[in-house]
Amino acid sequence: MTSMTQVFYRAPDIVAGFADRAERARRSVVHLHGAGRGVGTGVVWQSGGVVLTNDHVVAGTGGRLRMQTLDGRDLPVRVAARNPDLDLALLHTSADDLPPASVGDSSRLRVGELVFAIGHPWGQPWVVTAGIVSGLGEAETRNGQRVAFIRSDVRLAPGNSGGPLLDARGRVIGINAMVFGGDLAVAIASHVVERWLNDSQGRRARLGVGVQSLPLPEGVLNGRSRGLLVVSLEPGSPAEQAGILVGDLLLHADTVSLEQPEDLHRALQHTDGTLRLRLLRAGDIRVIDVTPGAES
């Protein structure tokens, strides 16, 4: 009887605490607009106006985006980086006082945990819905990268895309991306988002080269299975000045073997001078020294 009484009196406190965490999390959620209409949701991921959303939210807007904040501000926002394979986009706004979300470690998430989402379904602003984690898994992107995702029964609708999936403590553990099978919501795991964000920011700021992982035919390079294909170069960047070309296949950066974009980011973060790149160009192995810059 005592145990039941304790549970009875604690229940309102638990509910109130959940509501408090949801209210705090809503302050880090923005409503994205393009061409005069709502297109989705974004999450203030870092201080300094760094916002994350889905790539499909910004696709078709021509980069003409604005966002509304919970406190009523209407702000311009620009697209800083996109990854269609991961369905992620990095946005920047000039407002540097937006409260960043608390980000949790999705790699420790378990099936059955309570989660909730915040977004703008059908244009209704800052709606909160709740559910449980129903599954955890991986999917392979078009470039062969394995990506962790989270399935839940949180109710989502058009307008929720790009918004946060949060755990019971109010920490973001995913970016909501789609509804599968009519009732299961799919979110990109936060540790995948963090890895891409760190790689994207590091690459743009230090080297100025865009890459994607490329599978290699068996036997091409003594059993090596993957390399990093250069798909873009920033004009005037250290990579361009050193002679890197679009279409080069990067194999090593100093002693780091380059198979995934995060490998290049790791090499950039640990160099304190010239980075020696070993690459394949038109069937020939070449070595090019690049001095990463402090800014893009």
Side-chain angles (χ1 to χ4, degrees):
M1 184 67 180
T2 301
S3 176
M4 293 180 63
T5 302
Q6 289 174 340
V7 171
F8 177 80
Y9 282 111
R10 288 181 59 195
D13 294 335
I14 294 173
V15 173
F18 184 85
D20 289 341
R21 288 187 285 274
E23 181 58 31
R24 284 194 297 270
R26 291 171 83 221
R27 301 168 191 166
S28 301
V29 175
V30 299
H31 195 179
L32 297 173
H33 292 259
R37 61 182 179 86
V39 293
T41 304
V43 184
V44 182
W45 203 267
Q46 295 176 352
S47 58
V50 177
V51 178
L52 265 294
T53 189
N54 289 142
D55 181 75
H56 76 259
V57 168
V58 304
T61 65
R64 296 182 295 274
L65 284 168
R66 299 191 69 84
M67 71 181 195
Q68 292 180 338
T69 62
L70 186 64
D71 60 11
R73 283 180 286 176
D74 184 279
L75 303 168
V77 61
R78 67 179 178 86
V79 180
R82 296 175 57 183
N83 188 315
D85 285 329
L86 297 180
D87 196 15
L88 291 172
L90 170 63
L91 312 178
H92 282 168
T93 183
S94 58
D96 58 4
D97 61 343
L98 301 175
S102 174
V103 180
D105 183 1
S106 56
S107 66
R108 304 182 66 177
L109 197 64
R110 297 186 301 169
V111 172
E113 286 195 40
L114 177 66
V115 289
F116 64 102
I118 302 174
H120 315 290
W122 306 112
Q124 301 176 70
W126 285 275
V127 171
V128 178
T129 53
I132 62 168
V133 174
S134 56
L136 302 168
E138 287 188 342
E140 186 170 309
T141 66
R142 288 175 295 181
N143 65 9
Q145 184 177 357
R146 301 294 297 179
V147 177
F149 65 87
I150 303 163
R151 293 194 306 271
S152 72
D153 62 358
V154 171
R155 191 171 184 84
L156 301 180
N160 276 109
S161 291
L165 183 70
L166 306 107
D167 64 16
R169 295 183 180 180
R171 301 172 301 191
V172 180
I173 42 84
I175 295 291
N176 292 313
M178 66 183 75
V179 178
F180 180 77
D183 56 356
L184 286 179
V186 176
I188 305 157
S190 65
H191 69 275
V192 173
V193 180
E194 289 270 65
R195 186 171 59 198
W196 175 73
L197 179 61
N198 290 336
D199 171 65
S200 179
Q201 290 179 327
R203 185 170 64 244
R204 288 172 58 85
R206 299 292 302 279
L207 197 59
V209 58
V211 296
Q212 70 178 36
S213 181
L214 182 73
L216 301 176
E218 185 176 353
V220 169
L221 289 171
N222 297 324
R224 186 187 181 99
S225 61
R226 309 189 75 84
L228 292 183
L229 180 67
V230 176
V231 296
S232 66
L233 287 168
E234 294 179 10
S237 66
E240 185 184 60
Q241 292 176 10
I244 302 296
L245 301 177
V246 172
D248 284 345
L249 186 69
L250 306 182
L251 304 174
H252 288 88
D254 289 339
T255 60
V256 178
S257 179
L258 302 178
E259 298 187 359
Q260 296 294 339
E262 53 264 32
D263 298 331
L264 179 57
H265 173 68
R266 186 170 68 253
L268 286 167
Q269 292 301 100
H270 287 87
T271 187
D272 56 3
T274 299
L275 192 68
R276 175 153 291 187
L277 295 177
R278 182 170 176 265
L279 57 89
L280 181 68
R281 179 186 295 171
D284 295 326
I285 298 293
R286 303 190 180 203
V287 175
I288 295 180
D289 290 336
V290 184
T291 301
E295 297 178 352
S296 60

